[in-house]
């Protein structure tokens, strides 16, 4: 047996072994076998191409092309998308219209949310004769790409059908989307996300997929803390794995703060976070050590049960934590203007009240329907001190004797209607107007809420304190929509007139859930979410 024949036999054995691993979905073993096969094939081409007839040389190139394509498939199953794409590129250099490779590359690009590029791959694959055998599957990918590309370009998401059907079936397919926002230096902390034009309440500003998430049902209080630690470890492992597999993920996470030297951090251009900007990224060789990863996750991770968030779908019963890079640039404010919806591994951020061009987009990291001292305690637990306009104003007001007396009265169990009356009278005497009135009402919302919910209190004080809709409107102006405000408005209007102002409730609901939820679906949410 000649050396050439021995090499061909060895290659045939390797190819059969690699294919067997692939069919059994033994991805790592398949990658090892195909890597050996590819190396032998390349050596054979390099060492013998001048001695081979064109037909045998062509067969070797075809074998190499298929080997690269199959290794790309195995790598993509392990979510090693960067290496898988490199294999696809090598394969397509050999045969630019190789059907299997185009299909594999298209699916990888779709996983990376690079919709236009994926669409080009599927369109080219459609020209191949093999497309007839895979027409249904290929057309499905084409339609999916077109839909997601449209959503990514326009932000025209609609969750209504899914919600009306009470989350039955799969959650809607979402796309990465960046609206009228940019990253800039922030007076709140380091860098922030800012509106580039006027934005109406309920309008999406971004939709982004998590680098990683971890979810679970927490057990009783006794073991709940240990369960959270286990979840946190699993979450760290997932993020670390994503960083190791994808240079772009590592690069994007590198843009986040570690909680130090906020004022000197570079302000990245928003375009770098668009999936299609893959080739424009820089500093791909920059690495992250474990200490940096832990600091970044500590500062930037989001929990799904936050006061400014709502989880839709089957994962609503779970405690969840995740890393959504672009959403991590959104700072806290005690008068926030944005909320988020969690759907699967995506987060959808919308403004909860009208926002003006140049205004910073902000979340409530903790409950902002609380007095100043309680908010400061919660801010300290997050590792920061809030110095927003609301906090500064309330600090000045806390020096007033009347405010101190109201707080003492609340501690001693004063009638809530009376507390609200005294607060309103204090604001009248101190000439507190506009947003400042909303700030104080938000701080003492528990008193207002309890007063409005008590027949006894309303019978005594109802004519001397503002109507619930007046108070809710003033709070929405300064802190956006909130489910508790929506519930109070609905219950208050029902009690006072017996007829619910549906349009008013729907408008407030739009601030809570965003314009991605249309009227009928919003009514369903109000039914299953509040009552």
């Amino acid at each position: 047996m000649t050396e050439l024949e021995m090499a061909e036999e060895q290659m045939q054995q390797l190819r059969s072994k690699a294919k067997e691993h692939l069919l059994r979905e033994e991805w790592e073993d398949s990658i090892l076998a195909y890597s050996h096969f590819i190396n032998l094939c390349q050596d054979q081409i390099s060492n013998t191409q001048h001695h081979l007839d064109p037909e045998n040389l062509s067969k070797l190139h075809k074998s190499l092309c298929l080997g690269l394509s199959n290794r790309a498939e195995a790598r993509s199953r392990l979510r090693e998308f960067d290496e898988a794409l490199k294999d696809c590129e090598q394969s397509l250099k050999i045969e630019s219209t190789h059907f299997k490779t185009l299909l594999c590359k298209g699916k990888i690009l779709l996983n990376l949310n690079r919709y236009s590029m994926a669409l080009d791959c599927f369109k080219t694959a459609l020209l191949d004769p093999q497309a007839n055998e895979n027409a249904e599957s290929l057309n499905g990918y084409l339609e999916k790409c077109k839909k997601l590309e449209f959503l990514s370009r326009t932000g025209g998401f609609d969750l209504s059908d899914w919600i009306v059907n009470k989350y039955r079936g799969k959650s809607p397919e979402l796309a990465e989307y960046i609206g009228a926002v940019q990253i800039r230096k922030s007076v709140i902390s380091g860098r922030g996300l800012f509106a580039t034009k006027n934005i109406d309440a309920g309008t999406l500003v971004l939709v982004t997929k998590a680098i990683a998430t971890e979810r679970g049902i927490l057990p009783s209080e006794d073991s709940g803390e240990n369960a959270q630690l286990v979840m946190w470890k699993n979450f760290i492992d997932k993020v670390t794995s994503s960083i190791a597999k994808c240079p772009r993920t590592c690069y994007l996470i590198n843009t986040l703060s570690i909680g130090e030297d906020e004022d000197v951090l570079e302000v990245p251009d928003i375009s770098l976070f668009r999936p299609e900007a893959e080739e424009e990224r820089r500093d791909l060789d920059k690495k992250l050590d474990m200490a940096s990863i832990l600091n970044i996750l500590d500062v930037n991770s989001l929990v799904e049960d936050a006061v400014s968030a709502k989880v839709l779908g089957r994962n609503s019963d779970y405690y969840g934590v995740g890393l959504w890079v672009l959403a991590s640039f959104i700072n806290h404010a005690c008068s926030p203007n944005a909320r988020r919806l969690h759907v699967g591994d995506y987060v959808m951020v919308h403004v909860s009240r009208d926002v003006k061009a140049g205004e910073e987009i902000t979340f409530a990291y903790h409950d902002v329907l609380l007095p100043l001292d309680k908010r400061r305690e919660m801010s300290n637990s997050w590792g920061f001190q809030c110095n927003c306009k609301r906090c500064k104003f309330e600090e000045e007001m806390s020096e007033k004797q009347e405010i101190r007396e109201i707080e003492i009265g609340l501690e001693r169990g004063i009638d809530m209607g009376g507390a609200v009356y005294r607060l309103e009278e204090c604001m009248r005497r101190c000439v507190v107007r506009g947003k400042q009135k909303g700030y104080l009402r938000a701080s003492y919302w528990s008193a207002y809420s309890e007063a409005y919910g008590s027949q006894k209190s309303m019978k005594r004080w109802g004519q001397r304190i503002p109507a619930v809709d007046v108070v809710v409107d003033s709070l929405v102006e300064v802190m956006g929509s909130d489910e508790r405000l929506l519930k109070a408005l609905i219950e208050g209007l029902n009690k006072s007139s017996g007829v619910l102002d549906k349009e008013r409730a729907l408008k407030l609901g739009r601030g809570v859930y965003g314009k991605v939820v249309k009227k009928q679906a919003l009514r369903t949410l109000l039914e299953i979410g509040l009552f």
Side-chain angles (χ1 to χ4, degrees):
M1 185 180 292
T2 66
E3 186 176 337
L4 179 60
E5 290 172 334
M6 289 174 64
E8 286 178 350
E9 185 176 337
Q10 186 180 11
M11 285 170 59
Q12 182 58 43
Q13 290 174 352
L14 270 173
R15 180 163 50 191
S16 298
K17 184 179 179 182
K19 188 174 182 180
E20 184 179 343
H21 285 310
L22 192 70
L23 292 172
R24 290 180 177 177
E25 299 185 357
E26 298 166 349
W27 311 122
E28 291 181 354
D29 291 334
S30 177
I31 290 168
L32 287 173
Y34 272 118
S35 294
H36 197 177
F37 169 78
I38 289 166
N39 289 335
L40 280 176
C41 203
Q42 288 172 330
D43 288 343
Q44 193 74 1
I45 291 171
S46 177
N47 296 333
T48 62
Q49 61 178 331
H50 298 299
H51 310 293
L52 289 176
D53 59 79
E55 184 179 348
N56 284 328
L57 187 60
S58 176
K59 286 181 179 179
L60 271 175
H61 277 112
K62 286 183 178 180
S63 294
L64 177 59
C65 182
L66 184 59
L68 287 164
S69 181
N70 286 338
R71 186 171 71 174
E73 176 69 26
R75 281 175 162 168
S76 70
R77 296 302 185 99
L78 293 177
R79 303 193 68 79
E80 296 174 358
F81 295 131
D82 203 65
E83 293 301 312
L85 277 178
K86 289 178 183 177
D87 280 345
C88 288
E89 293 302 330
Q90 279 189 271
S91 177
L92 292 173
K93 281 181 181 178
I94 299 169
E95 187 179 334
S96 62
T97 58
H98 190 255
F99 179 79
K100 190 173 184 179
T101 305
L102 286 169
L103 201 59
C104 181
K105 184 181 178 182
K107 289 189 286 185
I108 293 168
L109 290 170
L110 197 53
N111 266 294
L112 294 172
N113 299 317
R114 296 164 68 181
Y115 316 111
S116 297
M117 299 172 77
L119 187 61
D120 289 340
C121 285
F122 293 132
K123 282 182 176 178
T124 305
L126 197 61
L127 302 175
D128 192 281
Q130 293 183 61
N132 293 328
E133 301 171 17
N134 302 270
E136 186 176 348
S137 174
L138 191 53
N139 284 326
Y141 283 122
L142 281 166
E143 290 307 310
K144 183 176 180 178
C145 280
K146 289 176 183 177
K147 176 185 175 182
L148 295 180
E149 190 279 330
F150 173 80
L151 292 174
S152 180
R153 180 167 39 85
T154 65
F157 298 85
D158 187 352
L159 307 181
S160 300
D161 289 344
W162 182 54
I163 291 168
V164 169
N165 289 321
K166 306 290 178 69
Y167 309 122
R168 284 190 289 271
K170 291 183 179 180
S171 59
E173 288 181 331
L174 302 181
E176 295 266 343
Y177 167 74
I178 300 176
V181 290
Q182 63 180 178
I183 303 169
R184 284 173 25 197
K185 287 285 185 181
S186 168
V187 296
I188 297 175
S189 175
R191 305 156 302 175
L193 206 63
F194 290 78
T196 58
K197 67 177 185 179
N198 294 342
I199 306 175
D200 296 334
T203 301
L204 279 176
V205 292
L206 68 90
V207 179
T208 185
K209 190 176 182 180
I211 298 297
T213 59
E214 178 67 12
R215 298 185 181 99
I217 296 177
L218 295 180
S220 62
E221 291 183 11
D222 295 336
S223 56
E225 188 174 341
N226 288 334
Q228 278 188 282
L229 288 174
V230 171
M231 288 179 65
W232 183 251
K233 181 186 179 300
N234 292 340
F235 174 53
I236 292 168
D237 290 343
K238 287 181 180 180
V239 173
T240 305
S241 175
S242 294
I243 290 171
K245 290 178 179 179
C246 182
R248 182 172 188 263
T249 296
C250 183
Y251 166 72
L252 293 179
I253 293 177
N254 250 315
T255 65
L256 298 178
S257 167
I258 61 170
E260 300 174 1
D261 302 321
E262 295 278 347
D263 294 335
V264 298
L265 291 173
E266 181 183 351
V267 178
D269 191 281
I270 197 79
S271 64
L272 296 174
F273 298 89
R274 300 183 190 279
E276 300 287 357
E278 168 79 9
E279 303 303 327
E280 299 175 19
R281 66 191 192 271
R282 299 166 292 170
D283 301 329
L284 291 182
D285 295 329
K286 190 173 180 181
K287 303 300 181 184
L288 278 167
D289 57 36
M290 183 54 70
S292 296
I293 292 172
L294 293 176
N295 285 334
I296 286 170
L297 294 182
D298 185 49
V299 173
N300 297 280
S301 299
L302 298 176
V303 292
E304 292 181 325
D305 63 347
V307 69
S308 59
K310 186 70 178 176
V311 180
L312 300 182
R314 294 177 180 176
N315 57 323
S316 60
D317 295 331
Y318 289 73
Y319 170 84
V321 62
L323 179 65
W324 293 268
V325 175
L326 193 51
S328 298
F329 284 91
I330 300 177
N331 284 313
H332 164 84
C334 289
S335 51
N337 57 26
R339 292 179 58 84
R340 61 184 193 263
L341 299 177
H342 290 271
V343 179
D345 287 341
Y346 283 83
V347 66
M348 311 179 80
V349 179
H350 65 271
V351 294
S352 56
R353 58 177 170 82
D354 293 347
V355 169
K356 293 181 180 179
E359 188 176 346
E360 183 168 0
I361 306 298
T362 54
F363 282 146
Y365 284 9
H366 52 69
D367 192 354
V368 291
L369 287 178
L370 291 172
L372 177 64
D373 59 339
K374 297 293 184 184
R375 298 202 310 277
R376 283 190 167 166
E377 286 178 17
M378 299 179 84
S379 293
N380 288 334
S381 69
W382 277 77
F384 70 92
Q385 186 67 53
C386 185
N387 292 304
C388 66
K389 289 180 179 179
R390 176 183 171 188
C391 288
K392 290 177 180 177
F393 166 70
E394 288 183 49
E395 188 169 17
E396 294 173 6
M397 289 297 294
S398 66
E399 300 297 321
K400 295 186 178 297
Q401 183 65 28
E402 288 176 273
I403 294 294
R404 290 178 180 175
E405 290 175 357
I406 291 170
E407 290 177 349
I408 292 171
L410 289 170
E411 289 174 2
R412 293 178 177 175
I414 187 177
D415 179 81
M416 291 301 174
V420 169
Y421 173 75
R422 292 187 67 178
L423 180 63
E424 291 290 331
E425 284 297 296
C426 175
M427 289 193 287
R428 182 181 62 81
R429 283 191 292 270
C430 295
V431 197
V432 175
R433 295 174 179 170
K435 290 184 176 180
Q436 293 179 341
K437 190 176 283 189
Y439 293 156
L440 279 180
R441 286 170 171 169
S443 290
Y444 293 94
W445 170 250
S446 60
Y448 282 90
S449 178
E450 193 170 325
Y452 291 134
S454 167
Q455 290 184 349
K456 181 181 177 181
S457 189
M458 289 303 291
K459 185 176 181 180
R460 182 178 178 186
W461 299 99
Q463 298 299 316
R464 291 188 280 177
I465 62 175
V468 61
D469 57 323
V470 173
V471 172
V472 167
D473 286 346
S474 70
L475 265 65
V476 171
E477 183 185 6
V478 299
M479 57 167 291
S481 297
D482 182 279
E483 278 187 296
R484 291 164 291 179
L485 303 183
L486 178 58
K487 185 174 182 178
L489 177 69
I490 292 173
E491 291 179 345
L493 291 176
N494 276 330
K495 287 177 182 177
S496 62
S497 63
V499 178
L500 174 62
D501 185 345
K502 291 182 180 179
E503 288 304 315
R504 194 169 195 165
L506 289 172
K507 183 178 179 181
L508 187 54
R510 195 170 294 117
V512 174
Y513 294 100
K515 291 182 179 179
V516 295
V517 181
K518 308 307 178 187
K519 283 187 178 181
Q520 182 56 43
L522 192 52
R523 291 190 183 98
T524 301
L525 273 176
L526 297 185
E527 292 169 5
I528 66 176
L530 294 177
F531 307 112

